[in-house]
Amino acid sequence: MSATALIMMIVAMVVIWGGLGLAVVNLVRATPSSPSPIDEPGDL
Amino acid sequence: MSTQSPASQPPSGATQADIEKKRGSFSSRNVFIFAAIGSAVGLGNIWRFPKEAFDNGGGAFMVPYIIALLTAGIPFLLLDYVMGHRTRGSAPLAFARTHGKTEWLGWWQVGICFVIAVYYAAILAWSLRYTIFSFGKDWGDDPGTFFGGDFLHASDPAKGVSTDFVAGLLIPLVLVWVAVLVIMALGVQKGVGATSVIFIPILVLAFLVLVVRALFLPGAVDGLEALFTPDWGALSDTGVWAAAYAQIFFSLSIGFGIMITYSSYVGRKVDLTGSGLVVGFANSSFELLCGIGVFSALGFMAQAQGLQISEVAAGGPGLAFVAFPTIINEAPAGVLIGILFFASLILAGITSLVSILEVVISAIRDKFDMSRIGATLAVLVPATVISVFFFSTTSALHVLDIVDNFINKFGILFVAVVSMVVLVWIVRALPDFVDHLEGSGSIRIRGWWPALVAVITPLALAFVLVSDFIDTLETKYGLPDTDYPDWMVNTFGWGLVAAVIVIGVLASLVKWRPDTNLSIPAIPEEENQ
């Protein structure tokens, strides 16, 4: 595998998968998940 | 035009909380995020992205692709989110509550979803049968001939629509519809939400195993080299940029009601902007994983057959039902690859199909105050009949090919551009949307987000739309591979696209029940504390 292709693959992984990691960290830090006040049973 | 109606209580005796309980909801933010990822991650991730990247500059494609994600994909996702979350309604109700005269846009989106669901189920049925075929490699030595002949019994396209049913297509198709009926009848949380919460982790795990297996096949490195070697010259080609924006747009399930519907089911205190970032990047993350897995396998196939990667690179049904069976025939532990690949198609497809149908069911419930079961039957029974009639016969592949092409390019893309322009430039709803997103999000969007959704995103999508339109007019659809009769293209292509718009307008003329609140709903007291 050429160095250019390898670098492009790593860059894509770092940007996209790293972006996902950062987005998850941001979400968890900003607002911990809590149940919705609108509870299920309805929906009938 | 005035922008909106003020927040108000429903005219009937029921409180807003009662109404929202009756509609159903996701039990938490995480269920909402899983459902949104389940919708976005679909067949397009697995069989569209790898070929698009390979055809449009290889590694260089990642540049416009990531720019498109950040400048159009995530901004449009947030636009859908704010529409549904602020108005607490299905697509037609969300548009009606944003501005009374825009309700038809919501019904246009509902019509598109119905059409897509009808043929999307057929692809799931094919995947179901191919999962079973994988155990015995039942396609034999020539998967291409098997797919068109023994499996589809494909008729001559020139003969138009056939009424010759194929039992091998009919039975799995009915099974898919029964499974979906059960899921949809279970409701928003126990059906739609739970399906994604269970299926998406299994899908990621299954595909990870598949990718690891594919990476160790001989020739896998050649496949990855072909996929990621950048052709920097491609960046000066507007067609490559259009392909990147189109890939992001079609992949994220934006612009046709799904994300509007889903965001209307989540609690008011959810972090919309933060959730949008997670969904956008999660979709692209899976897409990248698909690219690596698919091209590793194609690299093996090219080496095994002594061909160039470009000669075996395929997308769409050709990749799934011809190229992959060929790989499975020749690869060590091919049966495992087959089961993982086709099961992944089913898992990715079913969560997307459920999201598409929820747009229609939710709209019917909002408009006619139907029970969940009643609305599910009202949508799924006719959908199943139409689906079986057109997609379990010998002309299934031809009808599917035409409908899929036209409803995507001139249905989804067209309604997305029109609704964006109407909301931003005619109704001028953006200031209210910005306030809502700022009030419920962890990321500041004032300034950059309005600029993107007002100018960059509609311009980029309009460019793709016009390019596709000109291209379709200049060439006869289907050629050179298939010579469809003109009436067939005009009926299942242009005719269907126009019919969905007309039906959307007509549906918007049906009056809402007198007790329907057409203003932005007030926040229930228990949520305002």
Side-chain angles (χ1 to χ4, degrees), chain B residues 185-210:
Chain B
L186 282 171
V188 175
Q189 170 62 23
K190 291 176 184 165
V192 177
T195 304
S196 289
V197 169
I198 296 166
F199 285 1
I200 291 300
I202 298 174
L203 167 65
V204 172
L205 199 64
F207 216 86
L208 271 174
V209 174
L210 175 68

Side-chain angles (χ1 to χ4, degrees), chain B residues 137 139 143 214 217 293-294 296-302 304-305 312 319 322-335 337-338:
Chain B
K137 300 178 185 175
W139 42 71
L217 290 170
V294 166
S296 298
L298 289 174
F300 164 75
M301 181 178 166
Q305 299 190 338
V312 296
L319 173 75
V322 180
F324 255 86
T326 309
I327 293 163
I328 293 161
N329 276 351
E330 298 182 19
V335 173
I337 293 175

Side-chain angles (χ1 to χ4, degrees), chain B residues 328-351:
Chain B
I328 293 161
N329 276 351
E330 298 182 19
V335 173
L336 175 70
I337 293 175
I339 294 166
L340 289 172
F341 179 77
F342 290 111
S344 296
L345 280 185
I346 294 172
L347 293 172
I350 204 139
T351 48

Side-chain angles (χ1 to χ4, degrees), chain B residues 202-345:
Chain B
I202 298 174
L203 167 65
V204 172
L205 199 64
F207 216 86
L208 271 174
V209 174
L210 175 68
V211 169
V212 170
R213 180 70 201 89
L215 280 172
F216 285 97
L217 290 170
V221 173
D222 299 332
L224 292 179
E225 173 144 12
L227 178 62
F228 286 105
T229 298
D231 169 15
W232 297 114
L235 294 183
S236 59
D237 180 355
T238 51
V240 169
W241 286 83
Y245 275 87
Q247 175 60 32
I248 283 292
F249 175 78
F250 290 126
S251 173
L252 264 177
S253 292
I254 47 182
F256 61 116
I258 294 172
M259 296 305 178
I260 294 177
T261 308
Y262 275 8
S263 59
S264 76
Y265 290 144
V266 71
R268 283 183 169 77
K269 288 177 182 167
V270 74
D271 176 357
L272 282 184
T273 50
S275 302
L277 269 189
V278 171
V279 173
F281 274 102
N283 178 63
S284 291
S285 294
F286 188 74
E287 211 150 61
L288 182 60
L289 189 68
C290 292
I292 293 170
V294 166
F295 266 81
S296 298
L298 289 174
F300 164 75
M301 181 178 166
Q303 192 185 75
Q305 299 190 338
L307 300 168
Q308 296 294 312
I309 302 283
S310 56
E311 294 175 89
V312 296
L319 173 75
F321 302 113
V322 180
F324 255 86
T326 309
I327 293 163
I328 293 161
N329 276 351
E330 298 182 19
V335 173
L336 175 70
I337 293 175
I339 294 166
L340 289 172
F341 179 77
F342 290 111
S344 296
L345 280 185

Side-chain angles (χ1 to χ4, degrees), chain B residues 412-429:
Chain B
I412 301 179
L413 196 50
F414 194 17
V415 75
V417 172
V418 172
S419 56
M420 198 170 232
V421 168
V422 168
L423 288 172
V424 173
W425 292 107
I426 299 176
V427 172
R428 296 193 177 274

